Amino acid sequence: MCYSRAIQFNSEHYPYYSKADLAIRLAAIFHQSLDCPEVDSAGETLRQLLCRRKEIEHKRLLLGKLLDLAGKTVEAIEYYQEFSYRQNLATHPEITKQYWSSQQLRKPDFIICGSTKCGTTSLYNYLIAHPQVLPAVEKELYFFSHYFERELDWYFAHFPSIDNRQYLVGEASPTYLNWADPERLLQILPDVKLIFMLRNPVHRTISSFYQIDRISIEQPDLEDFIKWVTKTLSVKLESSKDIIPKPLCHLAFSEQLLWFHLIPSLYSVFIKKWLTVFHREQILALESEELYKNPSRIMNEVYRFLDLPECNLTNYQNFNPGSYALASSDVLQKSNTAFHLYNLNLQEYLGRQFNW
């Protein structure tokens, strides 16, 4: 594990930590194992560093993740709770001092469930800027899509233990739309409110492609990829077969990667099940383009959905933006046609139109 070794070589270089974190996430998504001896060694390096410099919070969080990889969940929870306390003490000092209860784990009040590359990072950051919304240990926890075996104490430890229901807590794991089990989530969190961010599926798919392209993972060129998308959707519609091959993890990595870009864009395939499991009033579906076009109006819609007072922020920056060249107009037109029926089904399920 190259980034583990890099951390040991230069423990002060922040990019090593962010890239190690990305490696951990991708390993979970693609079901890849990591080198346990390297993980243990990097964890020990971080422990020693934290003994000398307790204020380095991002190292505390990564150490918790490394302990998770090593199967030391109980110890990892302690680091997550300590990180959460320090994080909220910095942002909400009075509330944290008055209402923190380490003996009472907090359940999320809301979850932003997807989809990827649809602006969930911006939405989450706008939400935690509200004075009555407290940040989780980090935005994306992936519990219901990739880490359910770590059990509920692990999940709840990622939320601030604030014993005051005027203050809301939540997370944003965009993989939940297509990888989480709605029935399982309902059983554990029957009153949770769910938010779905949905973007023009053609643009979302291309954005996903370029995100992986930027980290130098080998894949076909964009034109060939879009042709594969168009052909795949057309064949599946004509044959009336299940669109997603199962089990996906048995495919070659190169083919998994193609589906990794496409699956989160098939909103109607997944949203129908969420609507059959949860009450409609527990679900809010937003158009990503509208969030960036009129963020104040959309955020006040979100606040009303969560029973929060309205709050006008001074800055609605675009978090985690990507820049890339679109495909040719001919390819885009064919892609729009391929997604057309899925988009019509989505509008029918949600009872609203999208400007795609």
Side-chain angles (χ1 to χ4, degrees), residues 1 19 24-25 114 137 159 240 265 267 272 316 327 329-330:
M1 188 177 177
K19 290 181 178 180
I24 292 171
R25 294 187 185 199
V137 165
F159 300 104
S240 300
S265 298
Y267 310 132
K272 184 178 182 180
Y316 291 100
S329 58
D330 179 60

Side-chain angles (χ1 to χ4, degrees), residues 1 3 17-28 32 34:
M1 188 177 177
Y3 296 121
Y17 296 92
S18 60
K19 290 181 178 180
D21 184 42
L22 177 60
I24 292 171
R25 294 187 185 199
L26 289 175
Q32 303 294 309
L34 297 177

Side-chain angles (χ1 to χ4, degrees), residues 100-222:
W100 190 271
S101 175
S102 58
Q103 303 303 314
Q104 182 176 343
L105 296 178
R106 181 75 183 265
K107 296 181 180 181
D109 302 288
F110 67 88
I111 300 176
I112 302 170
C113 291
S115 183
T116 56
K117 306 308 297 177
C118 288
T120 58
T121 300
S122 292
L123 177 60
Y124 178 77
N125 279 279
Y126 301 161
L127 260 177
I128 62 174
H130 190 287
Q132 287 179 227
V133 179
L134 305 175
V137 165
E138 58 181 341
K139 171 207 166 196
E140 300 173 8
L141 302 184
Y142 299 112
F143 177 69
F144 290 100
S145 56
H146 293 97
Y147 297 136
F148 193 74
E149 76 282 355
R150 293 179 181 172
E151 301 186 350
L152 291 176
D153 282 353
W154 179 91
Y155 181 54
F156 297 148
H158 286 75
F159 300 104
S161 298
I162 300 296
D163 191 16
N164 185 324
R165 294 296 163 171
Q166 289 185 343
Y167 296 87
L168 303 186
V169 302
E171 58 135 328
S173 293
T175 55
Y176 287 173
L177 170 62
N178 45 285
W179 296 122
D181 180 351
E183 294 180 354
R184 173 184 282 174
L185 201 151
L186 177 68
Q187 184 178 13
I188 295 170
L189 302 170
D191 300 318
V192 73
K193 293 190 175 181
L194 309 175
I195 303 173
F196 294 92
M197 291 287 293
L198 307 175
R199 176 185 181 185
N200 182 315
V202 175
H203 296 165
R204 197 225 69 83
T205 305
I206 293 173
S207 179
S208 175
F209 174 90
Y210 276 110
Q211 180 187 35
I212 295 298
D213 209 48
R214 284 193 293 271
I215 58 177
S216 301
I217 293 179
E218 185 177 351
Q219 52 185 1
D221 63 41
L222 179 63

